[in-house]
Amino acid sequence: MSRAVTVAAAQMGPVQRDEPRADVVERLLTLLHDAHALGAELVVYPELALTTFFPRWYFEDERELDVWFETEMPSVDTKPLFDEAARLGMGFCLGFAEKTADGHRYNTQVLVASDGHEIGRYRKVHLPGHAEHEPWRAFQHLEKRYFEVGPDGFQVWRAFDGIVGMMICNDRRWPEAYRVLGLQGVELVLLGYNTPVHNPPAPEHDRLGDFHNHLVMQSGAYQNATWVVGVAKAGNEEGVPMIGGSAIIAPSGEIAAMCTTLGDEVAVARCDLSQCDSYKQTVFNFGRHREPDHYGRITSQRGAEPLT
Ligand code: CDT
């Protein structure tokens, strides 16, 4: 039996440092309406969608850092998005910087149902970059300083007539993230990203950013028999060019829809979750073909231990 959900990848162009949250939410509402007009039932927004990608700067003062974090969701500024999505009967997934009541900071994505209730939250596990100021870089990537590793790992939720999981940006480069979701039967992975074109420690990779983006999401989708929806904040943000290429990827690994600009844009695809079944039952029938006795190093070891 077919189980289809029409999904919109709501890519954003850059958000500049002084852009007020309320203005950003206006942009999110425009994307929501565009997605609705195209028949979408679920809209996926980027990582840290409400602000510029602030980990590119070093803040010594805690109060300077706090301005980028939300202490409640919905917040006053995002309430209009929650209200309008519920009025239209649309679900959405939104990335934001979260500061909890007990002072923990996470890079978080919230999944909201079509009636406006919160289905679940995912807090980013694979934090890229560095924890100390590194002045030699053209820009910083201080996620390891500003966020804690999400404590809840990779969970799934029954939603949108299927099994939904989330990850955030750098997580998409790690096969373990998809596989932990795959082992819970995931059928739809939602993820936002902010990926600079330039990677200061490895500038020789810069020309490959778009290729690697699709490579990891397409292989993650295929090898785990799931749809993957990856959504960028793209374009030139505060002088730092970011890749676009937001895409909706089928369990075959094929791209079903993709953004073609570096600005605010929606790409929509009808995601038939039952298309996962033939992969889950045959080539990626985990119960039949996996050999976990031979995978011990995956969890017993962190770094590579090359043969000497
Ligand atoms: N936001 C985020 O996680 N960005 C990282 C940059 C790493 S540089 C290769 C990403 O994986 O896209």
Side-chain angles (χ1 to χ4, degrees):
M1 201 180 63
S2 150
R3 290 176 291 120
V5 54
T6 302
V7 183
Q11 179 176 284
M12 297 175 73
V15 175
Q16 304 305 343
R17 187 170 183 161
D18 59 1
E19 191 167 339
R21 299 273 209 293
D23 291 9
V24 176
V25 170
E26 280 299 320
R27 288 170 58 185
L28 301 181
L29 284 165
T30 299
L31 289 163
L32 184 82
H33 289 135
D34 290 350
H36 183 255
L38 292 166
E41 301 154 86
L42 171 62
V43 181
V44 184
Y45 295 109
E47 174 191 33
L48 301 177
L50 300 172
T51 65
T52 198
F53 189 75
F54 63 87
R56 72 169 63 92
W57 295 299
Y58 176 61
F59 302 111
E60 268 180 292
D61 184 339
E62 186 119 336
R63 281 163 308 181
E64 272 188 296
L65 184 60
D66 273 344
V67 301
W68 304 107
F69 283 77
E70 313 299 321
T71 52
E72 52 179 6
M73 189 54 65
S75 58
V76 172
D77 287 323
T78 55
K79 184 84 173 31
L81 175 67
F82 280 72
D83 290 347
E84 183 63 356
R87 190 186 73 78
L88 295 170
M90 297 170 78
F92 67 93
C93 175
L94 178 74
F96 65 100
E98 175 185 28
K99 186 175 179 188
T100 63
D102 53 354
H104 294 284
R105 289 191 166 88
Y106 301 112
N107 186 340
T108 298
Q109 234 172 227
V110 65
L111 180 60
V112 178
S114 56
D115 65 359
H117 87 265
E118 180 174 320
I119 296 168
R121 268 175 204 217
Y122 167 70
R123 295 170 173 134
K124 188 172 181 177
V125 167
H126 296 98
L127 299 173
H130 48 110
E132 301 304 325
H133 187 218
E134 296 186 1
W136 62 268
R137 290 174 180 257
F139 50 87
Q140 304 294 297
H141 198 118
L142 286 159
E143 286 195 63
K144 285 192 194 294
R145 184 179 190 87
Y146 298 149
F147 301 117
E148 291 173 56
V149 171
D152 307 317
F154 298 98
Q155 298 174 269
V156 296
W157 293 266
R158 280 215 169 265
F160 303 100
D161 214 13
I163 301 178
V164 181
M166 292 189 271
M167 57 177 81
I168 300 178
C169 195
N170 190 257
D171 289 319
R172 77 195 189 286
R173 301 188 193 276
W174 298 91
E176 294 89 341
Y178 299 93
R179 185 48 51 95
V180 171
L181 292 175
L183 286 166
Q184 299 170 83
V186 76
E187 297 173 315
L188 181 61
V189 176
L190 311 177
L191 73 95
Y193 59 93
N194 282 263
T195 299
V197 172
H198 176 51
N199 182 14
E204 66 276 19
H205 301 173
D206 292 358
R207 70 181 180 86
L208 300 167
D210 290 309
F211 167 62
H212 289 157
N213 178 42
H214 287 156
L215 177 71
V216 292
M217 294 196 295
Q218 290 181 257
S219 52
Y222 171 62
Q223 292 171 341
N224 294 280
T226 181
W227 289 85
V228 171
V229 182
V231 185
K233 179 138 63 58
N236 191 322
E237 199 176 75
E238 295 289 342
V240 177
M242 320 270 283
I243 69 165
S246 302
I248 301 175
I249 298 153
S252 62
E254 294 167 292
I255 293 178
M258 188 173 111
C259 290
T260 55
T261 71
L262 293 175
D264 289 13
E265 178 185 351
V266 295
V268 172
R270 183 175 174 276
C271 302
D272 182 351
L273 304 182
S274 64
Q275 282 180 17
C276 303
D277 297 347
S278 72
Y279 291 93
K280 289 188 192 296
Q281 288 159 9
T282 60
V283 66
F284 294 118
N285 182 331
F286 288 169
R288 192 155 179 209
H289 302 303
R290 286 182 78 251
E291 296 294 348
D293 290 351
H294 295 281
Y295 308 151
R297 282 181 186 273
I298 301 271
T299 53
S300 67
Q301 188 176 320
R302 178 185 287 261
E305 293 175 11
L307 193 62
T308 50

